[in-house]
Amino acid sequence: MKEELIYGRQPVREALKSEKRKVKRLFVMEGAQGKIIEDIKQLSQKREIPWEIKDKTFLEELVGKNVNHQGVVLLAQPRASLTWQEILKKNKTSPEATVVFVDRVEDPANLGTIARTAAFFGVGGILISKARSAPLDSPVVRASAGGIESIDIAQINNFTQVIKEFQKAGFWIVALEADGDKDIWDADLRGMPLGLVVGGEHEGIRRVVRSSCDMVLRIPSRGVINSLNVAVALGIGIYEVMRQRSTN
């Protein structure tokens, strides 16, 4: 299995905390200090992962000169993905469950932020289309600031078919699009497990995917810009779900 480099203080700490990856070695830049650095060292010792002090040049040769590694790099195996069936099984019995479907998000920064946002809100999993999506490698891990380490993720081929399987299991599938049929706060999102669907940077949610959804909702604009970054839109969508579910 090809090894992966994880860099940045928060991503490295979260990877060590989650224990979802097999880690081969930790490299710490000489002179690197701070509470997170000490946490990282302690976590590596707890997991019996060897670590070495290296100079700046070594780390730059490892990850690239223009990469902000913040003085720490992990050499680890790729994060194992679940199957969509496993995510469905974990969530289908809860009327409060929320999962996220990501249709062709190609920018690693966006995909990483989606993972961090989903982890922050404690969603039940992320299902990502394999076609034309950013690979779940170092740039996505870095952009997620460690969030990707603490959430269930499945990469799927037949996106629309998987949506249908979730619908059969009782999920209400809601697409978030700028030209949705009604404002998100006018829809009742309580009392059922939900799947929130967001689309890629260029074409949004594909037509075939959109037609499979139960509702298409919009986040209304009050300014001159009529669309949102996909990760921002997702955050607003999940927040609205949580807000509704927290009120009587």
Side-chain angles (χ1 to χ4, degrees), residues 111-168:
L111 192 54
T113 305
I114 285 170
R116 182 164 180 79
T117 300
F120 174 83
F121 284 112
V123 306
I126 306 175
L127 299 106
I128 303 170
S129 61
K130 279 188 177 180
R132 287 178 53 189
S133 291
L136 300 177
D137 56 11
S138 300
V140 171
V141 174
R142 180 73 175 88
S144 78
I148 200 170
E149 305 297 335
S150 60
I151 193 163
D152 291 337
I153 295 177
Q155 293 179 289
I156 53 180
N157 285 313
N158 196 333
F159 203 72
T160 54
Q161 185 58 44
V162 173
I163 283 176
K164 290 175 183 177
E165 293 299 327
F166 272 74
Q167 288 168 321
K168 288 178 185 177

Side-chain angles (χ1 to χ4, degrees), residues 187-208:
D188 188 350
L189 303 174
R190 298 169 296 176
M192 68 196 85
L194 286 174
L196 291 178
V197 185
V198 292
E201 299 86 356
H202 305 297
E203 59 182 300
I205 299 169
R206 284 172 292 157
R207 184 178 299 176
V208 64

